[in-house]
C-alpha cells in the first residue's frame, strides 16, 4: 500500500519538471508522456521504499532513465506537412529560435537513447562524469565514450548548430 497523499504531493510539486526531463530524453511529447506515466506507475508501486531512500526526485529520475533504456519500440519523429503556414504576430519574429529548436530535435533524434541520456545528464543536469556513471551503472570511460560519440555525431549531422553557438 502506498502513501497516496505523499505521492500526490510529490507529483503535484515535481510533475512538471519530470515531464520536461522526459521530453528532453525522448524528443517527442507523446513518448515523453508515456515515459513519465510508466515511471510514475513504477514509482507509486515502490513509493514507501523511495521515501525511505531520502531523495525521491533523484530516485524517480533513475527509474525514468532505466525505463527509457528498456523500451524496445522504435522512436521516430513524424512530420505533418500543411499547405498553408500559420500566421505569426508581426511584432515578434521567432523563426530563428524555432529553426534552431527543429534542427536540434532532428539531430538529437539521430542519437541512441543511451547517448541522449548521457548528454542530458552531463549538460542539462550538469552532472560530473563520475555521477553520470554512477546513475547509469557504468564506467566513467563509457560515459566519456558516449559523450564523445554523441557530440561527434551532432557536429557531423548538424554543423549549423555549432555556428549558432559560436558565430
Amino acid at each position: 500500500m502506498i502513501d497516496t497523499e505523499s505521492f500526490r504531493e510529490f507529483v503535484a510539486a515535481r510533475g512538471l519538471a519530470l515531464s520536461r526531463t522526459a521530453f528532453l530524453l525522448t524528443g517527442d511529447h507523446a513518448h515523453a508522456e508515456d515515459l513519465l506515466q510508466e515511471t510514475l506507475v513504477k514509482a507509486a508501486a515502490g513509493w514507501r521504499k523511495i521515501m525511505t531512500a531520502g531523495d525521491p526526485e533523484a530516485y524517480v529520475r533513475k527509474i525514468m532513465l532505466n525505463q527509457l533504456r528498456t523500451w524496445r519500440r522504435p522512436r521516430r519523429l513524424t512530420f505533418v506537412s500543411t499547405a498553408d503556414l500559420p500566421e505569426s504576430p508581426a511584432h515578434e519574429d521567432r523563426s530563428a529560435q524555432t529553426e534552431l529548436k527543429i534542427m536540434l530535435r532532428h539531430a538529437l533524434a539521430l542519437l541512441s537513447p543511451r547517448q541522449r541520456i548521457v548528454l542530458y545528464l552531463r549538460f542539462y543536469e550538469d552532472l560530473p562524469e563520475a555521477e553520470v556513471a554512477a546513475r547509469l551503472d557504468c564506467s566513467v570511460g563509457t560515459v566519456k565514450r558516449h559523450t564523445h560519440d554523441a557530440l561527434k555525431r551532432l557536429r557531423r549531422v548538424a554543423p549549423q548548430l555549432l555556428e549558432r553557438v559560436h558565430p
Side-chain angles (χ1 to χ4, degrees):
M1 190 73 187
I2 66 169
D3 180 4
T4 309
E5 190 59 34
S6 169
F7 183 71
R8 284 185 185 170
E9 288 173 6
F10 171 78
V11 172
R14 301 305 305 154
L16 186 57
L18 292 170
S19 178
R20 279 193 299 263
T21 297
F23 177 75
L24 289 170
L25 292 172
T26 62
D28 178 76
H29 288 290
H31 292 134
E33 289 174 2
D34 291 345
L35 177 61
L36 181 59
Q37 182 177 356
E38 290 177 22
T39 299
L40 292 176
V41 166
K42 288 185 178 197
W47 189 244
R48 189 176 312 268
K49 177 183 174 186
I50 291 171
M51 287 303 293
T52 59
D55 187 1
E57 185 168 359
Y59 202 103
V60 171
R61 286 179 189 267
K62 176 79 171 181
I63 293 171
M64 186 180 294
L65 293 173
N66 288 337
Q67 185 63 36
L68 181 64
R69 285 191 279 173
T70 63
W71 277 3
R72 295 289 183 234
R73 60 187 154 166
R75 306 283 184 237
R76 293 192 181 105
L77 294 175
T78 56
F79 300 96
V80 178
S81 61
T82 60
D84 299 320
L85 294 174
E87 291 187 29
S88 61
H91 64 279
E92 221 176 322
D93 183 14
R94 294 186 181 174
S95 61
Q97 290 176 340
T98 303
E99 181 183 333
L100 181 62
K101 287 179 184 178
I102 291 170
M103 212 180 313
L104 182 59
R105 185 176 290 165
H106 287 294
L108 289 174
L110 298 173
L111 300 178
S112 72
R114 185 79 163 192
Q115 289 173 332
R116 282 195 305 271
I117 290 169
V118 168
L119 289 183
Y120 166 78
L121 291 172
R122 286 283 292 128
F123 301 112
Y124 186 77
E125 287 199 8
D126 199 25
L127 296 176
E129 291 164 339
E131 177 67 24
V132 174
R135 287 194 184 188
L136 298 178
D137 297 323
C138 65
S139 71
V140 172
T142 301
V143 171
K144 288 180 179 182
R145 171 52 58 193
H146 282 305
T147 303
H148 173 78
D149 291 347
L151 293 176
K152 183 178 175 182
R153 180 174 241 183
L154 288 176
R155 285 183 192 108
R156 189 178 71 246
V157 299
Q160 56 275 41
L161 288 175
L162 202 59
E163 294 166 9
R164 297 284 184 111
V165 175
H166 302 291

